[in-house]
Amino acid sequence: MSGTQKIAIGGAILVVLVYAVYAQSKKDESMGVASKETAAEKPVLKVDLKEGEDLDKISITNADKGEVVLEKKGDKWELTKPVSFPANQGNVKSLIDNLKELKTGDLIDANPSEDIKKSYQLDTEHAVHVVAYKGGEKKADDYFGKSGGRGQMAIAAGNPGIYSVSGYSGYLYGREVKAWRDTEIFKFDDANVTSLVIEKSNEIAAAAPAGDAGAPKKAGGTFSFTKGAKWAGTWNGQAIARFDEEKVKDALRIFKALNADDFGDGKGVDVTGLDKPQATVTIGLKDNAGKFVLKVGKTSSGSERYATKDGSETVYVLPSAVSDWVTADVTKFQQAADGGAPKAPAMPPGMPGMPPGMMPPGHGAQ
């Protein structure tokens, strides 16, 4: 073989090798494997904070829920859009912690078409858009879409590529507005409580409680429970028969960390009934540490009721479990009429009262 032929064959082989490398790189790109160049440009889909820094504003836009804006004022977070109220500090912290934990994975598509974005729910009609700030500077600006076997699909603003992300907890970003609000009504240590008073109007009770003799009592009235060596209880000034102090402790366990189920924003007194409360709950604390007062109005839905507390204009919706104690009758605070005594054992088969022919063996005619 002449030198010219060898050179020609070598050139042909070189062409084939160059084409193979090119073809493989295109294949890798189509399969979502980042080249060295794209890997160097891989965005960090998480909050970009220096050590000791913290966020002071977060915007979350869900296509089906609209935009929620949270802002830090002083040392507390507030919900500023779509309404302005104190924020649920725990829920905001969980969100920030999750933003810090995100890890960017594989490049899925370097230059996705609008159809590809839609297939990954990264279009404007489906994506969750999260923007986080520190002192007016954007620390994150990301879109999150569909979740699958390869992770959470995401796009960072300013970078067209779709990447997989691990660590994303979707429920933290999709909360209803009410879940971003501070739902705490009041909180106290039940060991410090010295009194519990529940004043009920006639209107709040569906039926009057019955006395021991079956005589009906007035539905409206006042429960008064005071703590000495033990709890004592009265209903309209009269000692409660078969009083069970454990029931008062049960009630305080419900009230001591009282949180709203929802809010009655914008609802008038004709709906809430809070201009003339149907019940008032007053909880007194020892050592003159103050008291908590809850005013309860009309039903919201089911047995949930509107309420407000002294010192606040916020209208809350109480959970059913709380409403049940507010509307309770005397029996709610009593021991069972039989005092918990065990029931008499059942009569053995064939004893008096059994139908003929049901006598057990050995009890028949001799």
PDB file of all heavy atoms in Angstrom, residues 196-198 200 222-225 233-235 240-252 255 324-336:
ATOM      1  N   LEU A 196     -62.450  28.596  85.060  1.00  0.00           N
ATOM      2  CA  LEU A 196     -63.019  28.498  83.716  1.00  0.00           C
ATOM      3  C   LEU A 196     -64.508  28.817  83.832  1.00  0.00           C
ATOM      4  O   LEU A 196     -65.231  28.162  84.594  1.00  0.00           O
ATOM      5  CB  LEU A 196     -62.834  27.086  83.149  1.00  0.00           C
ATOM      6  CG  LEU A 196     -63.603  26.751  81.863  1.00  0.00           C
ATOM      7  CD1 LEU A 196     -63.134  27.617  80.706  1.00  0.00           C
ATOM      8  CD2 LEU A 196     -63.445  25.266  81.513  1.00  0.00           C
ATOM      9  N   VAL A 197     -64.947  29.839  83.104  1.00  0.00           N
ATOM     10  CA  VAL A 197     -66.358  30.235  83.117  1.00  0.00           C
ATOM     11  C   VAL A 197     -66.887  30.200  81.694  1.00  0.00           C
ATOM     12  O   VAL A 197     -66.273  30.778  80.783  1.00  0.00           O
ATOM     13  CB  VAL A 197     -66.539  31.653  83.711  1.00  0.00           C
ATOM     14  CG1 VAL A 197     -68.009  32.067  83.651  1.00  0.00           C
ATOM     15  CG2 VAL A 197     -66.032  31.696  85.152  1.00  0.00           C
ATOM     16  N   ILE A 198     -68.007  29.510  81.500  1.00  0.00           N
ATOM     17  CA  ILE A 198     -68.667  29.448  80.200  1.00  0.00           C
ATOM     18  C   ILE A 198     -70.081  29.979  80.367  1.00  0.00           C
ATOM     19  O   ILE A 198     -70.908  29.354  81.040  1.00  0.00           O
ATOM     20  CB  ILE A 198     -68.707  28.006  79.646  1.00  0.00           C
ATOM     21  CG1 ILE A 198     -67.293  27.417  79.552  1.00  0.00           C
ATOM     22  CG2 ILE A 198     -69.390  27.983  78.275  1.00  0.00           C
ATOM     23  CD1 ILE A 198     -67.275  25.953  79.142  1.00  0.00           C
ATOM     24  N   LYS A 200     -73.543  30.884  78.605  1.00  0.00           N
ATOM     25  CA  LYS A 200     -74.296  30.530  77.397  1.00  0.00           C
ATOM     26  C   LYS A 200     -75.633  31.266  77.365  1.00  0.00           C
ATOM     27  O   LYS A 200     -76.316  31.383  78.378  1.00  0.00           O
ATOM     28  CB  LYS A 200     -74.583  29.030  77.360  1.00  0.00           C
ATOM     29  CG  LYS A 200     -73.369  28.128  77.412  1.00  0.00           C
ATOM     30  CD  LYS A 200     -73.750  26.686  77.077  1.00  0.00           C
ATOM     31  CE  LYS A 200     -74.824  26.168  78.012  1.00  0.00           C
ATOM     32  NZ  LYS A 200     -75.310  24.851  77.605  1.00  0.00           N
ATOM     33  N   THR A 222     -74.792  29.731  83.217  1.00  0.00           N
ATOM     34  CA  THR A 222     -73.354  29.867  83.402  1.00  0.00           C
ATOM     35  C   THR A 222     -72.758  28.651  84.098  1.00  0.00           C
ATOM     36  O   THR A 222     -73.229  28.234  85.155  1.00  0.00           O
ATOM     37  CB  THR A 222     -73.043  31.118  84.241  1.00  0.00           C
ATOM     38  OG1 THR A 222     -73.560  32.269  83.568  1.00  0.00           O
ATOM     39  CG2 THR A 222     -71.546  31.280  84.443  1.00  0.00           C
ATOM     40  N   PHE A 223     -71.721  28.097  83.471  1.00  0.00           N
ATOM     41  CA  PHE A 223     -70.876  27.118  84.128  1.00  0.00           C
ATOM     42  C   PHE A 223     -69.744  27.887  84.796  1.00  0.00           C
ATOM     43  O   PHE A 223     -69.119  28.764  84.171  1.00  0.00           O
ATOM     44  CB  PHE A 223     -70.247  26.146  83.118  1.00  0.00           C
ATOM     45  CG  PHE A 223     -71.191  25.104  82.581  1.00  0.00           C
ATOM     46  CD1 PHE A 223     -71.611  25.156  81.259  1.00  0.00           C
ATOM     47  CD2 PHE A 223     -71.630  24.070  83.397  1.00  0.00           C
ATOM     48  CE1 PHE A 223     -72.469  24.191  80.761  1.00  0.00           C
ATOM     49  CE2 PHE A 223     -72.485  23.097  82.901  1.00  0.00           C
ATOM     50  CZ  PHE A 223     -72.910  23.155  81.581  1.00  0.00           C
ATOM     51  N   SER A 224     -69.445  27.552  86.041  1.00  0.00           N
ATOM     52  CA  SER A 224     -68.320  28.179  86.727  1.00  0.00           C
ATOM     53  C   SER A 224     -67.485  27.082  87.382  1.00  0.00           C
ATOM     54  O   SER A 224     -67.983  26.328  88.223  1.00  0.00           O
ATOM     55  CB  SER A 224     -68.821  29.161  87.788  1.00  0.00           C
ATOM     56  OG  SER A 224     -67.725  29.764  88.455  1.00  0.00           O
ATOM     57  N   PHE A 225     -66.232  27.001  86.976  1.00  0.00           N
ATOM     58  CA  PHE A 225     -65.323  25.989  87.512  1.00  0.00           C
ATOM     59  C   PHE A 225     -64.146  26.703  88.172  1.00  0.00           C
ATOM     60  O   PHE A 225     -63.527  27.589  87.568  1.00  0.00           O
ATOM     61  CB  PHE A 225     -64.816  25.074  86.406  1.00  0.00           C
ATOM     62  CG  PHE A 225     -65.924  24.424  85.608  1.00  0.00           C
ATOM     63  CD1 PHE A 225     -66.270  24.917  84.359  1.00  0.00           C
ATOM     64  CD2 PHE A 225     -66.623  23.351  86.118  1.00  0.00           C
ATOM     65  CE1 PHE A 225     -67.291  24.336  83.618  1.00  0.00           C
ATOM     66  CE2 PHE A 225     -67.645  22.750  85.399  1.00  0.00           C
ATOM     67  CZ  PHE A 225     -67.987  23.248  84.145  1.00  0.00           C
ATOM     68  N   GLY A 233     -67.329  22.572  90.422  1.00  0.00           N
ATOM     69  CA  GLY A 233     -68.119  23.123  89.325  1.00  0.00           C
ATOM     70  C   GLY A 233     -69.560  23.396  89.689  1.00  0.00           C
ATOM     71  O   GLY A 233     -70.174  22.632  90.447  1.00  0.00           O
ATOM     72  N   THR A 234     -70.078  24.521  89.165  1.00  0.00           N
ATOM     73  CA  THR A 234     -71.499  24.853  89.350  1.00  0.00           C
ATOM     74  C   THR A 234     -72.137  25.165  88.007  1.00  0.00           C
ATOM     75  O   THR A 234     -71.476  25.571  87.051  1.00  0.00           O
ATOM     76  CB  THR A 234     -71.668  26.080  90.269  1.00  0.00           C
ATOM     77  OG1 THR A 234     -71.066  27.228  89.651  1.00  0.00           O
ATOM     78  CG2 THR A 234     -71.023  25.834  91.629  1.00  0.00           C
ATOM     79  N   TRP A 235     -73.433  24.964  87.955  1.00  0.00           N
ATOM     80  CA  TRP A 235     -74.258  25.351  86.812  1.00  0.00           C
ATOM     81  C   TRP A 235     -75.341  26.273  87.346  1.00  0.00           C
ATOM     82  O   TRP A 235     -76.141  25.880  88.188  1.00  0.00           O
ATOM     83  CB  TRP A 235     -74.869  24.121  86.145  1.00  0.00           C
ATOM     84  CG  TRP A 235     -76.025  24.399  85.215  1.00  0.00           C
ATOM     85  CD1 TRP A 235     -77.337  24.100  85.412  1.00  0.00           C
ATOM     86  CD2 TRP A 235     -75.957  25.057  83.952  1.00  0.00           C
ATOM     87  NE1 TRP A 235     -78.103  24.518  84.363  1.00  0.00           N
ATOM     88  CE2 TRP A 235     -77.275  25.110  83.434  1.00  0.00           C
ATOM     89  CE3 TRP A 235     -74.914  25.610  83.201  1.00  0.00           C
ATOM     90  CZ2 TRP A 235     -77.571  25.696  82.204  1.00  0.00           C
ATOM     91  CZ3 TRP A 235     -75.223  26.192  81.980  1.00  0.00           C
ATOM     92  CH2 TRP A 235     -76.532  26.220  81.487  1.00  0.00           C
ATOM     93  N   ILE A 240     -72.862  20.966  90.578  1.00  0.00           N
ATOM     94  CA  ILE A 240     -73.195  19.975  89.555  1.00  0.00           C
ATOM     95  C   ILE A 240     -73.154  18.585  90.176  1.00  0.00           C
ATOM     96  O   ILE A 240     -72.130  18.175  90.748  1.00  0.00           O
ATOM     97  CB  ILE A 240     -72.202  20.052  88.374  1.00  0.00           C
ATOM     98  CG1 ILE A 240     -72.288  21.428  87.703  1.00  0.00           C
ATOM     99  CG2 ILE A 240     -72.460  18.935  87.366  1.00  0.00           C
ATOM    100  CD1 ILE A 240     -71.243  21.644  86.627  1.00  0.00           C
ATOM    101  N   ALA A 241     -74.276  17.874  90.088  1.00  0.00           N
ATOM    102  CA  ALA A 241     -74.335  16.513  90.608  1.00  0.00           C
ATOM    103  C   ALA A 241     -73.385  15.613  89.820  1.00  0.00           C
ATOM    104  O   ALA A 241     -73.219  15.781  88.615  1.00  0.00           O
ATOM    105  CB  ALA A 241     -75.767  15.987  90.510  1.00  0.00           C
ATOM    106  N   ARG A 242     -72.749  14.685  90.528  1.00  0.00           N
ATOM    107  CA  ARG A 242     -71.825  13.712  89.913  1.00  0.00           C
ATOM    108  C   ARG A 242     -70.734  14.435  89.096  1.00  0.00           C
ATOM    109  O   ARG A 242     -70.312  13.972  88.046  1.00  0.00           O
ATOM    110  CB  ARG A 242     -72.563  12.707  89.034  1.00  0.00           C
ATOM    111  CG  ARG A 242     -73.678  11.951  89.737  1.00  0.00           C
ATOM    112  CD  ARG A 242     -74.216  10.822  88.873  1.00  0.00           C
ATOM    113  NE  ARG A 242     -74.537  11.235  87.528  1.00  0.00           N
ATOM    114  CZ  ARG A 242     -75.656  11.859  87.176  1.00  0.00           C
ATOM    115  NH1 ARG A 242     -76.577  12.146  88.086  1.00  0.00           N
ATOM    116  NH2 ARG A 242     -75.867  12.204  85.917  1.00  0.00           N
ATOM    117  N   PHE A 243     -70.307  15.588  89.600  1.00  0.00           N
ATOM    118  CA  PHE A 243     -69.305  16.390  88.892  1.00  0.00           C
ATOM    119  C   PHE A 243     -68.019  15.592  88.695  1.00  0.00           C
ATOM    120  O   PHE A 243     -67.530  14.929  89.606  1.00  0.00           O
ATOM    121  CB  PHE A 243     -69.023  17.676  89.681  1.00  0.00           C
ATOM    122  CG  PHE A 243     -67.896  18.487  89.128  1.00  0.00           C
ATOM    123  CD1 PHE A 243     -67.992  19.078  87.873  1.00  0.00           C
ATOM    124  CD2 PHE A 243     -66.713  18.657  89.847  1.00  0.00           C
ATOM    125  CE1 PHE A 243     -66.942  19.830  87.347  1.00  0.00           C
ATOM    126  CE2 PHE A 243     -65.663  19.405  89.337  1.00  0.00           C
ATOM    127  CZ  PHE A 243     -65.779  19.992  88.089  1.00  0.00           C
ATOM    128  N   ASP A 244     -67.451  15.692  87.493  1.00  0.00           N
ATOM    129  CA  ASP A 244     -66.219  14.989  87.132  1.00  0.00           C
ATOM    130  C   ASP A 244     -65.159  16.025  86.764  1.00  0.00           C
ATOM    131  O   ASP A 244     -65.208  16.625  85.687  1.00  0.00           O
ATOM    132  CB  ASP A 244     -66.477  14.041  85.962  1.00  0.00           C
ATOM    133  CG  ASP A 244     -65.284  13.164  85.632  1.00  0.00           C
ATOM    134  OD1 ASP A 244     -64.195  13.396  86.202  1.00  0.00           O
ATOM    135  OD2 ASP A 244     -65.435  12.256  84.792  1.00  0.00           O
ATOM    136  N   GLU A 245     -64.191  16.237  87.661  1.00  0.00           N
ATOM    137  CA  GLU A 245     -63.181  17.271  87.389  1.00  0.00           C
ATOM    138  C   GLU A 245     -62.303  16.934  86.185  1.00  0.00           C
ATOM    139  O   GLU A 245     -61.712  17.828  85.570  1.00  0.00           O
ATOM    140  CB  GLU A 245     -62.308  17.500  88.618  1.00  0.00           C
ATOM    141  CG  GLU A 245     -61.366  16.384  88.974  1.00  0.00           C
ATOM    142  CD  GLU A 245     -60.337  16.811  90.013  1.00  0.00           C
ATOM    143  OE1 GLU A 245     -60.172  18.024  90.234  1.00  0.00           O
ATOM    144  OE2 GLU A 245     -59.679  15.918  90.582  1.00  0.00           O
ATOM    145  N   GLU A 246     -62.226  15.661  85.818  1.00  0.00           N
ATOM    146  CA  GLU A 246     -61.435  15.278  84.645  1.00  0.00           C
ATOM    147  C   GLU A 246     -62.002  15.904  83.368  1.00  0.00           C
ATOM    148  O   GLU A 246     -61.271  16.149  82.402  1.00  0.00           O
ATOM    149  CB  GLU A 246     -61.365  13.766  84.508  1.00  0.00           C
ATOM    150  CG  GLU A 246     -60.615  13.071  85.628  1.00  0.00           C
ATOM    151  CD  GLU A 246     -59.175  13.551  85.741  1.00  0.00           C
ATOM    152  OE1 GLU A 246     -58.529  13.738  84.679  1.00  0.00           O
ATOM    153  OE2 GLU A 246     -58.701  13.750  86.879  1.00  0.00           O
ATOM    154  N   LYS A 247     -63.318  16.152  83.357  1.00  0.00           N
ATOM    155  CA  LYS A 247     -63.940  16.755  82.179  1.00  0.00           C
ATOM    156  C   LYS A 247     -63.488  18.212  82.012  1.00  0.00           C
ATOM    157  O   LYS A 247     -63.336  18.697  80.892  1.00  0.00           O
ATOM    158  CB  LYS A 247     -65.467  16.677  82.285  1.00  0.00           C
ATOM    159  CG  LYS A 247     -66.014  15.258  82.426  1.00  0.00           C
ATOM    160  CD  LYS A 247     -65.713  14.420  81.205  1.00  0.00           C
ATOM    161  CE  LYS A 247     -66.229  12.998  81.348  1.00  0.00           C
ATOM    162  NZ  LYS A 247     -67.692  12.907  81.389  1.00  0.00           N
ATOM    163  N   VAL A 248     -63.284  18.901  83.126  1.00  0.00           N
ATOM    164  CA  VAL A 248     -62.769  20.273  83.054  1.00  0.00           C
ATOM    165  C   VAL A 248     -61.346  20.265  82.495  1.00  0.00           C
ATOM    166  O   VAL A 248     -60.980  21.101  81.660  1.00  0.00           O
ATOM    167  CB  VAL A 248     -62.791  20.945  84.441  1.00  0.00           C
ATOM    168  CG1 VAL A 248     -62.241  22.373  84.351  1.00  0.00           C
ATOM    169  CG2 VAL A 248     -64.198  20.962  84.995  1.00  0.00           C
ATOM    170  N   LYS A 249     -60.549  19.304  82.951  1.00  0.00           N
ATOM    171  CA  LYS A 249     -59.182  19.177  82.440  1.00  0.00           C
ATOM    172  C   LYS A 249     -59.191  18.885  80.944  1.00  0.00           C
ATOM    173  O   LYS A 249     -58.345  19.393  80.194  1.00  0.00           O
ATOM    174  CB  LYS A 249     -58.448  18.075  83.192  1.00  0.00           C
ATOM    175  CG  LYS A 249     -58.249  18.374  84.673  1.00  0.00           C
ATOM    176  CD  LYS A 249     -57.577  17.202  85.381  1.00  0.00           C
ATOM    177  CE  LYS A 249     -57.451  17.445  86.880  1.00  0.00           C
ATOM    178  NZ  LYS A 249     -56.840  16.285  87.578  1.00  0.00           N
ATOM    179  N   ASP A 250     -60.156  18.064  80.507  1.00  0.00           N
ATOM    180  CA  ASP A 250     -60.290  17.787  79.063  1.00  0.00           C
ATOM    181  C   ASP A 250     -60.586  19.068  78.294  1.00  0.00           C
ATOM    182  O   ASP A 250     -60.025  19.305  77.213  1.00  0.00           O
ATOM    183  CB  ASP A 250     -61.415  16.774  78.822  1.00  0.00           C
ATOM    184  CG  ASP A 250     -61.059  15.371  79.290  1.00  0.00           C
ATOM    185  OD1 ASP A 250     -59.859  15.094  79.500  1.00  0.00           O
ATOM    186  OD2 ASP A 250     -61.988  14.552  79.460  1.00  0.00           O
ATOM    187  N   ALA A 251     -61.482  19.887  78.849  1.00  0.00           N
ATOM    188  CA  ALA A 251     -61.832  21.151  78.192  1.00  0.00           C
ATOM    189  C   ALA A 251     -60.617  22.066  78.084  1.00  0.00           C
ATOM    190  O   ALA A 251     -60.363  22.664  77.036  1.00  0.00           O
ATOM    191  CB  ALA A 251     -62.962  21.847  78.950  1.00  0.00           C
ATOM    192  N   LEU A 252     -59.842  22.159  79.153  1.00  0.00           N
ATOM    193  CA  LEU A 252     -58.665  23.040  79.144  1.00  0.00           C
ATOM    194  C   LEU A 252     -57.605  22.555  78.167  1.00  0.00           C
ATOM    195  O   LEU A 252     -56.883  23.370  77.580  1.00  0.00           O
ATOM    196  CB  LEU A 252     -58.085  23.150  80.548  1.00  0.00           C
ATOM    197  CG  LEU A 252     -58.942  23.937  81.541  1.00  0.00           C
ATOM    198  CD1 LEU A 252     -58.319  23.891  82.929  1.00  0.00           C
ATOM    199  CD2 LEU A 252     -59.134  25.384  81.096  1.00  0.00           C
ATOM    200  N   PHE A 255     -58.616  24.137  75.004  1.00  0.00           N
ATOM    201  CA  PHE A 255     -58.469  25.589  74.942  1.00  0.00           C
ATOM    202  C   PHE A 255     -57.026  26.077  75.043  1.00  0.00           C
ATOM    203  O   PHE A 255     -56.710  27.173  74.592  1.00  0.00           O
ATOM    204  CB  PHE A 255     -59.289  26.248  76.053  1.00  0.00           C
ATOM    205  CG  PHE A 255     -60.769  26.246  75.812  1.00  0.00           C
ATOM    206  CD1 PHE A 255     -61.620  25.486  76.601  1.00  0.00           C
ATOM    207  CD2 PHE A 255     -61.321  27.000  74.792  1.00  0.00           C
ATOM    208  CE1 PHE A 255     -62.990  25.480  76.384  1.00  0.00           C
ATOM    209  CE2 PHE A 255     -62.694  27.009  74.559  1.00  0.00           C
ATOM    210  CZ  PHE A 255     -63.529  26.234  75.365  1.00  0.00           C
ATOM    211  N   ASP A 324     -67.991  22.305  70.606  1.00  0.00           N
ATOM    212  CA  ASP A 324     -68.716  21.301  71.392  1.00  0.00           C
ATOM    213  C   ASP A 324     -68.624  21.594  72.892  1.00  0.00           C
ATOM    214  O   ASP A 324     -69.575  21.373  73.633  1.00  0.00           O
ATOM    215  CB  ASP A 324     -68.158  19.903  71.100  1.00  0.00           C
ATOM    216  CG  ASP A 324     -68.521  19.408  69.714  1.00  0.00           C
ATOM    217  OD1 ASP A 324     -69.406  20.019  69.077  1.00  0.00           O
ATOM    218  OD2 ASP A 324     -67.915  18.420  69.250  1.00  0.00           O
ATOM    219  N   TRP A 325     -67.479  22.092  73.353  1.00  0.00           N
ATOM    220  CA  TRP A 325     -67.352  22.435  74.766  1.00  0.00           C
ATOM    221  C   TRP A 325     -68.109  23.720  75.088  1.00  0.00           C
ATOM    222  O   TRP A 325     -68.699  23.857  76.165  1.00  0.00           O
ATOM    223  CB  TRP A 325     -65.879  22.599  75.138  1.00  0.00           C
ATOM    224  CG  TRP A 325     -65.171  21.276  75.285  1.00  0.00           C
ATOM    225  CD1 TRP A 325     -64.303  20.711  74.407  1.00  0.00           C
ATOM    226  CD2 TRP A 325     -65.300  20.357  76.366  1.00  0.00           C
ATOM    227  NE1 TRP A 325     -63.881  19.488  74.868  1.00  0.00           N
ATOM    228  CE2 TRP A 325     -64.464  19.243  76.077  1.00  0.00           C
ATOM    229  CE3 TRP A 325     -66.029  20.355  77.566  1.00  0.00           C
ATOM    230  CZ2 TRP A 325     -64.351  18.149  76.936  1.00  0.00           C
ATOM    231  CZ3 TRP A 325     -65.901  19.265  78.418  1.00  0.00           C
ATOM    232  CH2 TRP A 325     -65.083  18.185  78.112  1.00  0.00           C
ATOM    233  N   VAL A 326     -68.113  24.661  74.160  1.00  0.00           N
ATOM    234  CA  VAL A 326     -68.804  25.928  74.391  1.00  0.00           C
ATOM    235  C   VAL A 326     -70.313  25.720  74.499  1.00  0.00           C
ATOM    236  O   VAL A 326     -70.990  26.394  75.273  1.00  0.00           O
ATOM    237  CB  VAL A 326     -68.481  26.921  73.256  1.00  0.00           C
ATOM    238  CG1 VAL A 326     -69.327  28.182  73.380  1.00  0.00           C
ATOM    239  CG2 VAL A 326     -67.001  27.285  73.286  1.00  0.00           C
ATOM    240  N   THR A 327     -70.842  24.789  73.719  1.00  0.00           N
ATOM    241  CA  THR A 327     -72.296  24.562  73.698  1.00  0.00           C
ATOM    242  C   THR A 327     -72.717  23.417  74.612  1.00  0.00           C
ATOM    243  O   THR A 327     -73.870  23.016  74.612  1.00  0.00           O
ATOM    244  CB  THR A 327     -72.756  24.241  72.263  1.00  0.00           C
ATOM    245  OG1 THR A 327     -72.087  23.052  71.808  1.00  0.00           O
ATOM    246  CG2 THR A 327     -72.436  25.376  71.311  1.00  0.00           C
ATOM    247  N   ALA A 328     -71.788  22.886  75.403  1.00  0.00           N
ATOM    248  CA  ALA A 328     -72.065  21.696  76.220  1.00  0.00           C
ATOM    249  C   ALA A 328     -73.187  21.920  77.234  1.00  0.00           C
ATOM    250  O   ALA A 328     -73.404  23.027  77.721  1.00  0.00           O
ATOM    251  CB  ALA A 328     -70.795  21.273  76.948  1.00  0.00           C
ATOM    252  N   ASP A 329     -73.885  20.825  77.558  1.00  0.00           N
ATOM    253  CA  ASP A 329     -74.851  20.886  78.649  1.00  0.00           C
ATOM    254  C   ASP A 329     -74.227  20.248  79.893  1.00  0.00           C
ATOM    255  O   ASP A 329     -73.048  19.870  79.900  1.00  0.00           O
ATOM    256  CB  ASP A 329     -76.186  20.234  78.263  1.00  0.00           C
ATOM    257  CG  ASP A 329     -76.043  18.744  77.968  1.00  0.00           C
ATOM    258  OD1 ASP A 329     -75.032  18.141  78.374  1.00  0.00           O
ATOM    259  OD2 ASP A 329     -76.950  18.176  77.320  1.00  0.00           O
ATOM    260  N   VAL A 330     -75.004  20.128  80.958  1.00  0.00           N
ATOM    261  CA  VAL A 330     -74.477  19.672  82.244  1.00  0.00           C
ATOM    262  C   VAL A 330     -73.857  18.282  82.138  1.00  0.00           C
ATOM    263  O   VAL A 330     -72.823  17.992  82.757  1.00  0.00           O
ATOM    264  CB  VAL A 330     -75.601  19.679  83.308  1.00  0.00           C
ATOM    265  CG1 VAL A 330     -75.111  19.023  84.585  1.00  0.00           C
ATOM    266  CG2 VAL A 330     -76.048  21.101  83.591  1.00  0.00           C
ATOM    267  N   THR A 331     -74.451  17.408  81.360  1.00  0.00           N
ATOM    268  CA  THR A 331     -73.968  16.027  81.288  1.00  0.00           C
ATOM    269  C   THR A 331     -72.530  15.935  80.789  1.00  0.00           C
ATOM    270  O   THR A 331     -71.842  14.950  81.059  1.00  0.00           O
ATOM    271  CB  THR A 331     -74.877  15.173  80.378  1.00  0.00           C
ATOM    272  OG1 THR A 331     -74.886  15.749  79.054  1.00  0.00           O
ATOM    273  CG2 THR A 331     -76.299  15.144  80.916  1.00  0.00           C
ATOM    274  N   LYS A 332     -72.073  16.947  80.066  1.00  0.00           N
ATOM    275  CA  LYS A 332     -70.701  16.951  79.544  1.00  0.00           C
ATOM    276  C   LYS A 332     -69.683  16.962  80.684  1.00  0.00           C
ATOM    277  O   LYS A 332     -68.547  16.516  80.513  1.00  0.00           O
ATOM    278  CB  LYS A 332     -70.510  18.190  78.669  1.00  0.00           C
ATOM    279  CG  LYS A 332     -69.190  18.261  77.912  1.00  0.00           C
ATOM    280  CD  LYS A 332     -69.239  17.507  76.624  1.00  0.00           C
ATOM    281  CE  LYS A 332     -68.048  17.826  75.736  1.00  0.00           C
ATOM    282  NZ  LYS A 332     -68.032  17.046  74.488  1.00  0.00           N
ATOM    283  N   PHE A 333     -70.102  17.461  81.861  1.00  0.00           N
ATOM    284  CA  PHE A 333     -69.192  17.581  82.993  1.00  0.00           C
ATOM    285  C   PHE A 333     -69.548  16.633  84.142  1.00  0.00           C
ATOM    286  O   PHE A 333     -69.098  16.815  85.265  1.00  0.00           O
ATOM    287  CB  PHE A 333     -69.197  19.030  83.506  1.00  0.00           C
ATOM    288  CG  PHE A 333     -68.706  20.021  82.494  1.00  0.00           C
ATOM    289  CD1 PHE A 333     -69.612  20.731  81.704  1.00  0.00           C
ATOM    290  CD2 PHE A 333     -67.357  20.223  82.300  1.00  0.00           C
ATOM    291  CE1 PHE A 333     -69.160  21.640  80.758  1.00  0.00           C
ATOM    292  CE2 PHE A 333     -66.891  21.135  81.357  1.00  0.00           C
ATOM    293  CZ  PHE A 333     -67.796  21.839  80.572  1.00  0.00           C
ATOM    294  N   GLN A 334     -70.363  15.621  83.864  1.00  0.00           N
ATOM    295  CA  GLN A 334     -70.783  14.682  84.887  1.00  0.00           C
ATOM    296  C   GLN A 334     -70.214  13.285  84.644  1.00  0.00           C
ATOM    297  O   GLN A 334     -69.918  12.900  83.509  1.00  0.00           O
ATOM    298  CB  GLN A 334     -72.316  14.565  84.905  1.00  0.00           C
ATOM    299  CG  GLN A 334     -73.026  15.809  85.426  1.00  0.00           C
ATOM    300  CD  GLN A 334     -74.538  15.638  85.390  1.00  0.00           C
ATOM    301  OE1 GLN A 334     -75.102  15.232  84.372  1.00  0.00           O
ATOM    302  NE2 GLN A 334     -75.192  15.943  86.500  1.00  0.00           N
ATOM    303  N   GLN A 335     -70.093  12.548  85.744  1.00  0.00           N
ATOM    304  CA  GLN A 335     -69.817  11.127  85.635  1.00  0.00           C
ATOM    305  C   GLN A 335     -71.093  10.430  85.182  1.00  0.00           C
ATOM    306  O   GLN A 335     -72.191  10.966  85.311  1.00  0.00           O
ATOM    307  CB  GLN A 335     -69.372  10.558  86.980  1.00  0.00           C
ATOM    308  CG  GLN A 335     -68.057  11.121  87.478  1.00  0.00           C
ATOM    309  CD  GLN A 335     -67.691  10.583  88.844  1.00  0.00           C
ATOM    310  OE1 GLN A 335     -68.510   9.954  89.512  1.00  0.00           O
ATOM    311  NE2 GLN A 335     -66.460  10.820  89.268  1.00  0.00           N
ATOM    312  N   ALA A 336     -70.957   9.226  84.657  1.00  0.00           N
ATOM    313  CA  ALA A 336     -72.135   8.457  84.248  1.00  0.00           C
ATOM    314  C   ALA A 336     -73.021   8.205  85.464  1.00  0.00           C
ATOM    315  O   ALA A 336     -72.539   8.104  86.599  1.00  0.00           O
ATOM    316  CB  ALA A 336     -71.707   7.138  83.627  1.00  0.00           C
TER     317      ALA A 336
END
